[in-house]
Amino acid sequence: MDMENNIIYMKDIVKSYKLGKNKLTVLKEVSLEVTAGEFVAVLGPSGSGKSTLMNIIGCIDVADSGEYILGGQNIKARNDDELAHVRNREIGFIFQRFNLLPKYTAIHNVAFPLLLRGINKEKAYERATLLLEKVGLGGRMKHKPLELSGGEQQRVSIARALSGEPRLLLADEPTGALDSKTGREIIDMFSELSREGNTIVMITHDLGVAKEAKRIVRVKDGKIVEE
């Protein structure tokens, strides 16, 4: 195992949920490795276990058993506060529904994670400005989410995900709420971010979107089938 280059190392991950008196095993001894700079699509239909896998990768949920090392840190050994710290520092999240703060401008949405870390306002806004220019929204910084199109909102959320220079970008159906032309633009942006050396894991049910990644991992009935 090349821990130097591995951002994600998962071995024999099992996750179950209780449904009344029954136990539903959603992930069955899943193993996955993602190295620095890779662009990986996790492809699977609804109910395949891909959302649960995403929650474990994103430290939103914890596996019942198995090993998960994220950027050299053993996630199994972390308590809730430490997991929140890992999420804030190590992972940039990009959601299907954007999850922007509706009352705040684009620039404040992007600066917000940095302000939470205690970075001073001037520096946070400076970085947010650079990132919004990078995603092509230099002229829309003072707009609130509802004044932006879906594609623009997703660009803001990409800028926000990049703000803390995370080790991993984790995108959940990033084109799911967009029309095909806008979705294409967002996927092109991921390809560009990948070329710049960012590590990206993208969850999707859409083969056309998944094919844009460098590698496809299929999830079927709680197991991983590599392409």
Side-chain angles (χ1 to χ4, degrees), residues 100 137 140 147-157 182:
L100 299 172
L137 290 179
R140 313 285 279 165
E147 299 166 333
L148 299 169
S149 70
E152 287 170 337
Q153 288 185 64
Q154 193 58 295
R155 285 167 186 263
V156 174
S157 90
T182 311

Side-chain angles (χ1 to χ4, degrees), residues 188-199:
D188 287 347
M189 190 169 285
F190 281 133
S191 298
E192 180 61 31
L193 290 169
S194 168
R195 284 193 291 274
E196 289 171 8
N198 291 283
T199 309

Side-chain angles (χ1 to χ4, degrees), residues 98 149-152 174-187 206 209:
F98 323 130
S149 70
E152 287 170 337
T175 62
L178 305 172
D179 64 67
S180 56
K181 180 181 177 288
T182 311
R184 173 83 239 175
E185 289 167 5
I186 294 299
I187 291 301
D206 185 331
V209 169

Side-chain angles (χ1 to χ4, degrees), residues 10 22 29 37 52 69 75 84 114 144 151 163 177 185 188 194 197:
M10 286 184 156
N22 300 322
E29 297 186 346
T52 302
I69 312 281
I75 297 305
L114 299 174
K144 291 180 178 173
S163 66
E185 289 167 5
D188 287 347
S194 168

Side-chain angles (χ1 to χ4, degrees), residues 120-141:
N120 76 50
K121 196 171 174 183
E122 192 183 339
K123 275 196 176 152
Y125 271 69
E126 197 176 297
R127 174 132 179 91
T129 301
L130 286 173
L131 286 167
L132 284 168
E133 285 168 353
K134 178 184 174 71
V135 299
L137 290 179
R140 313 285 279 165
M141 296 191 202

